[in-house]
Amino acid sequence: MKLFSFFTLFFTTKALKFSPEIPQTLFKMSRPNNLPQTALATFVGAAAAHTNPINEIFDPQLFTTSALAMGISANSMIVNDFFDAKLGNDPYDRKNLIVNGDISPDIVKKYLSASYALIFLTSFSLKSPELTAVVLFSAFITIIYTPILKNIVFVKNLSVGAIVALTPVVGAIATSDNFNDAFNNPDSRLMHLFLATFAGSVHQELIMDISDSKFDAFQNITTVPVKFGKEKTILLNALMLYIMSFSACNSDNGAAVYTALAPSILMFYDTSILKKSIGTKDEPDKTNIALDRIKYASSVIFLSFAIH
């Protein structure tokens, strides 16, 4: 009954007046900088699953899947801000445009109800039940993430990692006959891509948790560094980096190995420097440097999976 009430939240909206500023504000809330990378992820997934990816990319199913992935990515940011504002998780965060008063929660709720309904209906136009299931699962996780999963230690990190890692998977399935074909093709690197993307995303989430640990502790938000300490969190980061690097470099193609190796070494280096700076005045700067470099290093590792 509680779960039903939770989901009806999006579908109990009042009639609202339209303002020209609303689409612009919603677009800003969607973190548009992430959208090209999300689209690229679906194409890299297709490339990782096939020896001759160019022949597979020009498939309407891939473009539909890419659009759905971008929609889910955009909604994940907006729904996170919506629930953070509703639950009081961001009372002083001016980046949350709902908290900042730039847009009303009712408008955001109405947009989310319409956009999730569109994602739901469009997913049934996809060619396989497996693809529809993965898309719906990803959308479902984004809805329950902030009010439920975000409050469970480490589960929040795993859930984000799963959503990000499933993005290339949907691209691969969209250009394959089915789920098994995408993973079991002898030349497919999809399983290694899934593991590398998952581990790299969890690594990034843990670094972000380290960066936010003081605020999270003040707000009684239990994260891995708040509960177990930053030093132990860094050890977990090292494990995630090992899984990511091992998966990315697991190829018979020397170009793919060397393309993934250099950024992997850089991420290990940044993590070791961050570990040494914990508890010092340099910690905030080293954390920000690590987060900035993750974006570029992980993108290079990601692209290395297109090399067979």
Side-chain angles (χ1 to χ4, degrees), residues 38-52:
T38 301
L40 179 63
T42 60
F43 285 88
V44 171
H50 302 283
T51 308
N52 298 309

Side-chain angles (χ1 to χ4, degrees), residues 60-80:
Q61 284 284 303
L62 181 57
F63 289 98
T64 302
T65 302
S66 181
L68 284 169
M70 287 192 290
I72 292 171
S73 174
N75 274 13
S76 70
M77 301 298 171
I78 297 173
V79 76
N80 182 64

Side-chain angles (χ1 to χ4, degrees), residues 268-294:
F268 269 111
Y269 172 78
D270 286 338
T271 303
S272 67
I273 295 299
L274 174 58
K275 184 178 185 301
K276 292 179 181 178
S277 70
I278 288 177
T280 71
K281 61 181 179 60
D282 294 329
E283 182 184 333
D285 288 337
K286 299 303 180 185
T287 304
N288 290 331
I289 289 172
L291 284 172
D292 287 339
R293 287 180 175 172
I294 283 174

Side-chain angles (χ1 to χ4, degrees), residues 62-141:
L62 181 57
F63 289 98
T64 302
T65 302
S66 181
L68 284 169
M70 287 192 290
I72 292 171
S73 174
N75 274 13
S76 70
M77 301 298 171
I78 297 173
V79 76
N80 182 64
D81 282 353
F82 173 78
F83 278 116
D84 273 341
K86 182 178 178 63
L87 299 173
N89 294 339
D90 288 335
Y92 310 108
D93 186 2
R94 311 316 293 178
K95 293 180 181 179
N96 188 322
L97 299 184
I98 300 174
V99 174
N100 206 34
D102 293 348
I103 191 168
S104 76
D106 284 337
I107 291 173
V108 175
K109 185 166 63 173
K110 191 166 188 175
Y111 162 77
L112 288 171
S113 63
S115 58
Y116 273 116
L118 181 61
I119 289 171
F120 178 81
L121 293 174
T122 306
S123 69
F124 284 96
S125 71
L126 300 175
K127 66 180 182 181
S128 69
E130 298 104 324
L131 190 52
T132 299
V134 173
V135 169
L136 291 178
F137 174 77
S138 297
F140 174 74
I141 293 298

